[in-house]
Amino acid sequence: KTAKNLFFGVYFAGAIKTNTFRIRLYEPSGAKLYDKSQTIKKEANVRFLYGGKSKRTLPWRQGRYRAVFDLMTGKKPVLSVERFVQFR
């Protein structure tokens, strides 16, 4: 609750140039806290991608935060990950 940073990272294999990814973090209310989409520019056997909020001055609200990662080839989903963290 007193941490200044909240990050979500995904480690995966098999990224190709035309893939796009999207990382989102949601507050307990459902409001978007972070949203980033990007096309992968360079093929890689293994990738680590992350996103989040840093240097926050206010305490985090109590509740369940949700993080979502999607990897797409064109409009076809290749990988989707959803994780939760609870602040009390």
Side-chain angles (χ1 to χ4, degrees):
K1 185 171 154 180
T2 59
K4 294 187 184 282
N5 305 323
L6 178 61
F7 288 99
F8 170 58
V10 177
Y11 187 67
F12 65 97
I16 57 175
K17 263 203 263 192
T18 57
N19 288 153
T20 57
F21 70 88
R22 186 173 182 192
I23 297 175
R24 290 163 287 164
L25 287 173
Y26 295 94
E27 292 185 2
S29 66
K32 278 186 196 167
L33 185 63
Y34 178 85
D35 190 353
K36 179 182 181 180
S37 296
Q38 190 173 334
T39 301
I40 293 176
K41 296 175 181 141
K42 189 176 177 182
E43 290 186 5
N45 292 333
V46 178
R47 292 290 301 258
F48 178 73
L49 299 171
Y50 66 93
K53 286 288 186 181
S54 62
K55 299 181 184 173
R56 187 175 170 106
T57 56
L58 298 172
W60 296 100
R61 291 189 186 118
Q62 290 184 358
R64 189 177 183 201
Y65 288 76
R66 182 170 67 109
V68 180
F69 172 83
D70 294 307
L71 181 67
M72 310 283 282
T73 297
K75 297 198 182 272
K76 181 183 173 187
V78 178
L79 175 67
S80 187
V81 178
E82 182 177 40
R83 295 291 183 258
F84 299 92
V85 64
Q86 181 84 25
F87 287 154
R88 298 178 185 175

